[in-house]
């Protein structure tokens, strides 16, 4: 049992933990604890019960959502996320992958008086993960998507580094899918980002060059061999803008470079 002290902080009251207790319990400045009222007092719970309830509601509510689409001639490509057992688009369907949110990409052919879905494919993880696309771009018969993930994510033969699902962190991904006409299949995926929440705001492709932009909130973000530093890292909610390029070598992709920008002195900059 450990005794903690209540101290006045402005118009609020803060809880002060002994140093050894803070280290042993892994408490960090700014971390949320849940206060549970009991018949004979209160207790502090390290788990975020509100977040757990939100995740439960998300499993019940977030079934499908479209995130982006692009058109080439009379062909329409659509990407989004779902946690349904099967993603079905008319006669095209793809079985579920994991226990939570996975990515889907589907193609529709516009014949004039009607539209017909040709195929749908999914990617993500069999584990408890979020793999959520935010943008889509086309180059030839190649389809590129970019988004965020937490947990595990696999695109074709590329398994991305694990991001702790319980920490609320989100890394970004770029993935390539090849359209073979009657089917589509993922070829590779790349991961990047910081130790906190990252977001994707835009994606574009030209030839075998793919560009992605967004923001990161961690102290530093890694894109291959390039490391970007957030000038606002001392401010919890502040972010920095990134613009990065990856090159498509066919069956694999690689980060080529990354640049950053945005405000300083705690100004959160958002790229959308």
């Amino acid at each position: 049992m450990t005794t903690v002290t209540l101290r006045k902080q402005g118009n609020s009251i803060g809880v002060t933990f002994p140093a050894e207790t803070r280290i042993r319990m892994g408490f960090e400045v700014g971390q949320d604890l849940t206060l549970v009222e009991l018949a004979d007092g209160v207790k502090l719970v390290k788990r975020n019960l509100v977040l757990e309830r939100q995740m439960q509601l998300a499993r019940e509510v977030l079934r499908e959502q479209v995130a982006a689409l692009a058109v080439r001639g009379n062909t329409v490509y659509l990407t989004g996320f779902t946690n349904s057992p099967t993603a079905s688009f008319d006669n095209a369907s793809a079985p579920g992958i994991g226990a939570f949110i996975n990515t889907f990409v589907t193609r529709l052919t516009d014949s004039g008086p009607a539209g017909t879905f040709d195929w749908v494919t999914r990617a993500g993880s069999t584990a408890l993960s979020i793999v959520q696309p935010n943008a889509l771009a086309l180059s030839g018969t190649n389809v590129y998507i970019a988004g965020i993930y937490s947990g595990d994510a696999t695109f074709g033969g590329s398994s991305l580094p694990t991001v702790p699902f319980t920490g609320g962190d989100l890394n970004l991904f770029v993935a390539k899918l090849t359209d073979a006409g009657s089917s589509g299949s993922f070829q590779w995926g790349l991961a990047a980002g910081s130790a906190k929440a990252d977001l994707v705001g835009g994606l574009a492709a030209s030839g075998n060059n793919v560009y992605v932009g967004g923001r990161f909130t961690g102290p530093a973000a890694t894109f291959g061999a390039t490391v970007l530093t957030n000038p606002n890292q001392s401010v919890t909610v502040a972010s920095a803008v990134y613009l990065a390029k990856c090159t498509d070598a066919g069956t694999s992709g690689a980060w080529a470079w990354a640049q950053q920008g945005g405000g300083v002195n705690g100004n959160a900059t958002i790229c959308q």
Side-chain angles (χ1 to χ4, degrees):
M1 180 179 297
T2 301
T3 299
V4 298
T5 303
L6 299 180
R7 300 184 188 279
K8 183 175 176 59
Q9 296 179 350
N11 294 324
S12 302
I13 294 178
V15 179
T16 302
F17 291 92
E20 61 273 15
T21 302
R22 180 185 63 81
I23 295 172
R24 176 168 50 84
M25 297 297 295
F27 292 144
E28 298 179 1
V29 175
Q31 180 178 352
D32 290 330
L33 302 176
T34 300
L35 179 67
V36 180
E37 297 184 20
L38 304 175
D40 58 348
V42 298
K43 71 175 181 178
L44 290 174
V45 180
K46 188 176 180 181
R47 290 165 32 230
N48 190 329
L49 300 182
V50 175
L51 175 61
E52 291 182 6
R53 177 54 181 162
Q54 290 174 340
M55 296 294 286
Q56 179 182 349
L57 292 174
R59 294 187 185 97
E60 299 171 355
V61 176
L62 290 179
R63 292 296 179 181
E64 291 91 18
Q65 181 170 315
V66 171
L69 62 84
V71 177
R72 181 178 60 230
N74 68 332
T75 304
V76 183
Y77 297 90
L78 199 69
T79 188
F81 60 86
T82 179
N83 68 346
S84 295
T86 302
S88 298
F89 297 83
D90 287 342
N91 295 324
S93 64
I97 298 176
F100 203 30
I101 296 175
N102 286 168
T103 292
F104 71 82
V105 177
T106 184
R107 188 187 92 164
L108 177 143
T109 298
D110 179 4
S111 60
T116 303
F117 282 104
D118 303 309
W119 51 258
V120 59
T121 188
R122 296 175 71 170
S125 171
T126 57
L128 185 63
S129 302
I130 295 175
V131 186
Q132 178 179 324
N134 301 110
L136 184 151
L138 306 176
S139 181
T141 58
N142 298 324
V143 181
Y144 301 95
I145 63 172
I148 54 176
Y149 79 99
S150 183
D152 301 311
T154 299
F155 297 90
S158 302
S159 295
L160 305 187
T162 299
V163 178
F165 185 76
T166 57
D169 299 332
L170 296 167
N171 274 185
L172 67 101
F173 70 83
V174 174
K176 172 193 174 182
L177 180 148
T178 298
D179 180 3
S182 60
S183 64
S185 58
F186 281 100
Q187 302 298 308
W188 52 258
L190 293 174
S194 69
K196 293 186 178 180
D198 307 312
L199 293 176
V200 169
L203 181 71
S206 177
N208 67 337
N209 298 318
V210 185
Y211 304 90
V212 60
R215 62 187 175 104
F216 66 96
T217 58
T222 301
F223 296 80
T226 304
V227 178
L228 306 181
T229 302
N230 184 355
N232 300 304
Q233 57 188 282
S234 61
V235 182
T236 304
V237 298
S239 59
V241 165
Y242 69 83
L243 175 61
K245 170 187 173 182
C246 58
T247 54
D248 179 5
T251 57
S252 64
W255 293 108
W257 52 256
Q259 296 287 345
Q260 71 184 67
V264 293
N265 298 325
N267 296 315
T269 304
I270 300 176
C271 172
Q272 290 183 325

